[in-house]
Amino acid sequence: MWLIALEDLIVSVDDRYRTKRNADPDGAVLPGIRYARNAVVHGETVTATVDERPGAMLGVAPLASFALAEGPSNQWKDRPSIGFTPTPSPYVPQQEQSYDTQLAGQDVSPSLERALTFLRYAAAT
């Protein structure tokens, strides 16, 4: 929610913002995050907990008897599984494409970190 609120503020004061965002690899996640935010506002769940590799996590099982593995992660769901139909707008196709290419199936935290990195840059310029 806050990332999109910050983006809206920057859009209101910088006419060139969207062009800069669309050209930046980290900024490219923001339309997809906006799609996810809109889906959540309408009651949809956009992430799922996924166990990527079975095995022991530190502090959970004796290491001598199990292979060390990564714990579960939160990942963005594939867009068709979300069940959200956005209100038509000229921005929706870009939001859906960004979600599909930048977020779907990816871990949540790195995507949010990329968006925050870009927004810090955009707010400073």
Side-chain angles (χ1 to χ4, degrees), residues 21-22 24-33 35-36 76-80 82 92-107 110-111 114:
R21 179 199 65 200
N22 296 341
D24 187 280
D26 289 334
V29 301
L30 280 155
I33 290 172
Y35 175 89
W76 299 103
K77 289 179 163 183
D78 289 335
R79 192 168 47 86
I82 295 172
V92 168
Q94 182 187 25
Q95 292 169 7
E96 292 176 336
Q97 180 183 13
S98 173
Y99 188 93
D100 291 345
T101 60
Q102 301 290 328
L103 301 179
Q106 303 296 313
D107 286 346
S111 306
R114 288 177 56 202

Side-chain angles (χ1 to χ4, degrees), residues 42-89:
H42 289 277
E44 301 296 336
T45 302
V46 298
T47 64
T49 302
V50 177
D51 288 322
E52 290 186 14
R53 295 183 202 139
M57 292 180 290
L58 292 176
V60 178
L63 291 177
S65 60
F66 296 96
L68 186 60
E70 293 180 19
S73 65
N74 283 334
Q75 293 184 348
W76 299 103
K77 289 179 163 183
D78 289 335
R79 192 168 47 86
S81 69
I82 295 172
F84 171 61
T85 304
T87 303
S89 132

